[in-house]
């Protein structure tokens, strides 16, 4: 079972566009994939180091704007813009980490919230660069290849699906390797008992800044994918609701697990869409809220940790 | 082995150490006693490098160490058991012990030391895969000391080893500390329970408001009138 499970999942994920005919469903899956990258990125901080970034959408938005602006203003190929988005968001993460992580805790939360607020205001007011609240339309679709030689443009939904799947897979793999490495052990030690972690020779500030950089860079990657997929970027990407959605996905799925945030991203992208299909928008938000409360009430640790505990107990008492 | 010369350190503007000088010789068990806020914990933190000193010197085996990082100090042979929560609660016993060797890279040596800790504390060997937070207070204390030993220290800094433990567990802890000494590890121990500390130490220092107020053989300090009045309740 342990061997078959992941293989089966891989086959399902890889063949989705073949048997899901409705492009709308593929669209929902693409958005779920983008959010999965965001949730994985937030989980690296919230789940493994215990740091709550309440401005995480800032890194997402920075990635989206970087990629979109480079494509629109400088005509850079989107895959270069993607790399630049990762880099710029990572640098922003470094800056935020450097200034706030000497103090940790509530200060980090406050700095991240303010950062997202400031960036939002910049994106609204710097008309010349960002086109303000009107946003940036006509962002070119993602394409792979070298200009003049060959080019693979990703215009169709299935193509975008595979691109997002590949990046999400890479993000998952990166997180997997990282949290199981020595460095990851250091993150967990800092989360569990900082004084003790320092006493065994872990440099707290350095490790936490590293976590912030990796996390921000991943969010930047998601932003770039989002910009070239929806082909429109506006200051809305910096809104608090995006951050809240990410936190919900991580917490409901199970923070501090690898699969949890991915599952959370899928559930909480699909749920509003499903509700939209069956009811009017007033009921949609209300039911979403009820579902959220029920999740927190019955699965306070998140879906995945609850399943893990259940399995362990079942094995212990046959 | 360890010498502090006029050590000063502060948290922001509040000076915690106002010129502390003390010495620990190889093989000794030295205790640092005093009231809450006297600067005992800060002294240990300054030695392990987790609190930066602003003035004075710390010499370990003749070399200055007060400008080194906590990790460098650890690799030189000084391990610190901080006060308060003693273990990583959600890590298993084994993971906790491995964390003690975080700064080391010699896999064979680490395995050897793991075996040695299990030989010393068989109960830990039985609970390898159990989360450390589910151990009893005494077991957690064993684990904490075992973890510190995983760094192969020559000097062990113990902060309040008896704090929050039941009397029978304190006895166990004292036995463990004696065993650690027998393995040739020098110990500098901070304790609020002055009687307990002086009973087992070779020498003691009494700290008051960031300075050393008294020093002497543990036996003499127990008899000292000032110590009796201020710390032994008699």
């Amino acid at each position: 079972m342990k061997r078959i499970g992941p293989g089966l999942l891989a086959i399902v994920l890889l063949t989705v566009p073949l048997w899901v005919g409705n492009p709308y469903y593929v669209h929902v899956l693409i958005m779920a994939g983008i959010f999965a990258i965001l949730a994985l990125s937030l989980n690296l901080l919230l789940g493994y180091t215990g740091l709550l970034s309440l401005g995480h959408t800032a890194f997402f938005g920075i990635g989206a704007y970087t990629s979109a602006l480079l494509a629109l203003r400088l005509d850079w190929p989107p895959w270069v813009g993607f790399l630049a988005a990762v880099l710029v968001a990572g640098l922003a993460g470094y800056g935020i980490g450097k200034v706030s992580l000497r103090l940790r805790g509530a200060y980090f939360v406050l700095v991240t919230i303010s950062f997202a607020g400031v960036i939002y205001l910049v994106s609204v007011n710097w008309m010349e660069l960002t086109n303000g609240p009107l946003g940036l339309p006509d962002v070119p679709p993602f394409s792979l290849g070298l200009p003049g030689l060959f080019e693979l443009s990703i215009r169709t939904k299935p193509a975008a699906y595979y691109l997002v799947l590949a990046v999400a897979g890479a993000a998952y793999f990166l997180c997997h390797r990282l949290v199981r490495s020595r460095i990851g052990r250091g993150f967990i030690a800092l989360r569990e008992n900082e004084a003790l972690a320092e006493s065994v020779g872990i440099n707290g500030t350095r490790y936490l800044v590293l976590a912030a950089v990796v996390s921000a860079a991943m969010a930047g990657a998601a932003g770039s994918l989002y910009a070239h997929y929806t082909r429109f970027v506006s200051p809305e990407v910096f809104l608090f609701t995006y951050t809240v959605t990410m936190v919900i996905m991580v917490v409901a799925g199970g923070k501090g697990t690898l699969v949890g945030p991915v599952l959370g991203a899928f559930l909480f992208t699909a749920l509003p869409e499903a509700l939209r299909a069956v009811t009017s928008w007033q009921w949609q938000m209300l039911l979403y809220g009820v579902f959220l409360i029920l999740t927190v009430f019955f699965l306070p640790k998140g879906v995945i940790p609850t399943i893990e505990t259940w399995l362990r107990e079942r094995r212990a008492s046959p | 082995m360890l010498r502090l010369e006029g050590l000063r350190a502060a948290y922001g503007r509040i000076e915690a150490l106002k010129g502390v000088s003390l010495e620990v010789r190889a093989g000794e068990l030295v205790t640092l006693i005093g009231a809450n806020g006297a600067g005992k914990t800060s002294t240990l933190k300054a030695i392990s490098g987790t609190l930066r000193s602003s003035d004075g010197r710390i010499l370990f085996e003749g070399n200055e160490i007060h400008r080194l990082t906590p990790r460098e100090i650890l690799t030189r042979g000084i391990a610190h058991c901080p006060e308060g929560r003693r273990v990583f609660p959600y890590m298993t016993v084994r993971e906790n012990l491995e964390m003690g060797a975080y700064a080391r890279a010699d896999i064979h040596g680490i395995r050897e030391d793991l075996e040695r800790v299990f030989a010393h504390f068989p109960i830990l060997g039985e609970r390898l895969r159990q989360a450390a937070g589910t151990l009893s207070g005494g077991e957690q204390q064993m684990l904490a000391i075992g973890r510190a030993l995983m760094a192969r220290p020559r000097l062990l800094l113990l902060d309040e080893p008896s704090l929050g433990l039941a009397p029978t567990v304190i006895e166990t802890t004292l036995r463990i500390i004696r065993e650690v000494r027998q393995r040739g590890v020098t110990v500098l121990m901070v304790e609020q329970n002055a009687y307990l500390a002086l009973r087992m130490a070779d020498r003691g220092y009494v700290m008051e408001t960031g300075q050393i107020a008294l020093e002497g053989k543990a036996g003499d300090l127990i008899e000292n009138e000032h110590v009796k009045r201020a710390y032994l309740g008699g």
Side-chain angles (χ1 to χ4, degrees):
Chain A
M1 187 57 204
K2 253 206 143 113
R3 296 241 170 262
I4 300 170
L8 212 60
L9 185 67
I11 291 170
V12 170
L13 286 174
L14 283 170
T15 56
V16 158
L18 302 179
W19 46 269
V20 175
N22 190 335
Y24 168 66
Y25 292 148
V26 181
H27 163 76
V28 173
L29 284 172
I30 292 169
M31 291 312 289
I34 290 173
F35 269 106
I37 300 169
L38 288 171
L40 281 166
S41 123
L42 182 68
N43 183 46
L44 208 52
L45 285 179
L46 182 59
Y48 287 97
T49 67
L51 289 171
L52 177 58
S53 161
L54 274 188
H56 215 62
T57 194
F59 305 117
F60 172 68
I62 287 174
Y65 266 101
T66 305
S67 211
L69 285 171
L70 287 174
L72 289 170
R73 304 265 198 268
L74 300 178
D75 234 5
W76 285 21
W79 66 268
V80 181
F82 176 83
L83 297 179
V86 169
L87 200 72
V88 174
L91 273 174
Y94 179 78
I96 293 299
K98 266 289 182 199
V99 299
S100 62
L101 286 174
R102 289 182 180 284
L103 296 162
R104 325 259 158 94
Y107 298 98
F108 182 75
V109 179
L110 289 177
V111 170
T112 52
I113 293 180
S114 332
F115 178 62
V118 169
I119 291 274
Y120 169 75
L121 290 177
V122 170
S123 71
V124 170
N125 291 305
W126 193 351
M127 290 294 290
E128 299 80 30
L129 183 72
T130 65
N131 204 22
L134 299 174
L136 299 168
D138 297 325
V139 180
F142 212 94
S143 62
L144 295 167
L146 295 166
L149 284 172
F150 73 102
E151 199 166 305
L152 177 66
S153 183
I154 295 174
R155 286 171 186 279
T156 64
K157 288 226 160 22
Y161 170 83
Y162 283 118
L163 176 69
V164 170
L165 183 65
V167 177
Y172 183 88
F173 182 70
L174 176 76
C175 287
H176 177 89
R177 290 301 298 264
L178 188 60
V179 302
R180 276 172 177 58
S181 71
R182 237 178 86 78
I183 293 172
R185 200 45 89 66
F187 290 167
I188 297 171
L190 283 165
R191 176 191 73 194
E192 292 206 1
N193 192 333
E194 193 170 330
L196 213 55
E198 302 223 324
S199 85
V200 297
I202 294 168
N203 182 333
T205 307
R206 192 135 127 229
Y207 272 56
L208 295 181
V209 170
L210 175 71
V213 168
V214 177
S215 174
M218 277 171 63
S224 172
L225 290 178
Y226 174 84
H228 292 291
Y229 172 64
T230 61
R231 305 192 53 191
F232 175 70
V233 182
S234 77
E236 271 184 33
V237 292
F238 294 112
L239 290 186
F240 194 56
T241 42
Y242 273 97
T243 301
V244 173
T245 309
M246 289 180 222
V247 174
I248 290 171
M249 287 167 173
V250 172
V251 173
K255 66 179 157 71
T257 68
L258 284 163
V259 183
V262 179
L263 183 71
F266 182 78
L267 284 179
F268 284 89
T269 313
L271 180 71
E273 302 291 339
L275 290 174
R276 182 151 66 189
V278 297
T279 154
S280 62
W281 68 269
Q282 300 95 323
W283 286 101
Q284 186 192 328
M285 290 326 282
L286 199 66
L287 286 172
Y288 183 86
V290 169
F291 187 81
L292 195 60
I293 291 169
L294 288 178
T295 312
V296 173
F297 200 77
F298 289 107
L299 307 166
K301 284 201 251 163
V303 176
I304 295 296
T306 309
I307 294 176
E308 276 174 355
T309 313
W310 181 72
L311 282 178
R312 207 177 310 129
E313 276 166 10
R314 225 176 64 131
R315 218 175 301 142
S317 55
Chain B
M1 185 178 213
L2 178 79
R3 204 161 77 226
L4 273 57
E5 294 175 355
L7 197 71
R8 287 173 174 276
Y11 298 95
R13 281 199 201 146
I14 302 154
E15 206 168 38
L17 304 179
K18 303 170 183 169
V20 174
S21 299
L22 60 80
E23 192 179 2
V24 181
R25 298 180 203 117
E28 271 189 323
L29 195 172
V30 175
T31 184
L32 199 55
I33 57 175
N36 259 333
K40 308 183 302 283
T41 293
S42 301
T43 306
L44 292 195
K45 281 168 121 181
I47 297 171
S48 70
T50 43
L51 173 65
R52 280 269 149 244
S53 51
S54 50
D55 195 23
R57 301 203 300 164
I58 305 174
L59 295 159
F60 182 59
E61 296 174 332
N63 302 310
E64 286 192 350
I65 57 163
H66 53 273
R67 283 191 200 90
L68 301 181
T69 63
R71 180 158 180 174
E72 288 166 337
I73 293 169
L74 183 70
T75 9
R76 296 225 176 167
I78 303 180
H80 183 189
C81 264
E83 65 178 337
R85 293 187 300 135
R86 300 182 171 97
V87 297
F88 297 111
Y90 292 103
M91 289 191 189
T92 64
V93 168
R94 192 197 180 94
E95 286 167 343
N96 263 274
L97 291 171
E98 285 168 351
M99 284 310 295
Y102 196 81
R104 289 171 61 183
D106 54 322
I107 297 161
H108 291 289
I110 292 172
R111 191 162 304 155
E112 252 175 58
D113 285 359
L114 260 179
E115 292 304 321
R116 208 177 306 168
V117 169
F118 296 148
H120 235 83
F121 311 121
I123 190 91
L124 295 182
E126 287 165 28
R127 313 227 151 151
L128 267 186
R129 287 153 62 88
Q130 198 172 322
T134 63
L135 298 178
S136 73
E139 289 161 355
Q140 290 194 15
Q141 182 67 271
M142 271 182 214
L143 181 56
I145 294 176
R147 185 196 54 238
L149 293 178
M150 287 300 293
R152 266 199 198 174
R154 275 164 292 144
L155 173 64
L156 181 61
L157 308 176
L158 286 176
D159 200 348
E160 303 278 8
S162 79
L163 195 73
L165 295 180
T168 52
V169 180
I170 293 179
E171 283 308 315
T172 317
T173 305
L174 298 187
R175 183 178 55 82
I176 294 168
I177 297 172
R178 279 191 207 103
E179 284 171 11
V180 167
R181 275 192 76 189
Q182 279 163 13
R183 288 171 58 172
V185 179
T186 309
V187 180
L188 175 59
M189 176 171 82
V190 157
E191 248 311 328
Q192 263 198 79
N193 187 335
Y195 181 68
L196 196 90
L198 291 174
R199 228 181 50 196
M200 68 183 299
D202 300 312
R203 287 188 308 115
Y205 289 86
V206 180
M207 270 194 100
E208 278 166 15
T209 59
Q211 282 170 317
I212 301 291
L214 265 178
E215 62 170 289
K217 288 207 174 105
D220 296 344
L221 286 176
I222 284 192
E223 299 301 324
N224 183 292
E225 281 307 316
H226 174 72
V227 173
K228 267 188 184 170
R229 222 173 325 115
Y231 303 107
L232 301 176

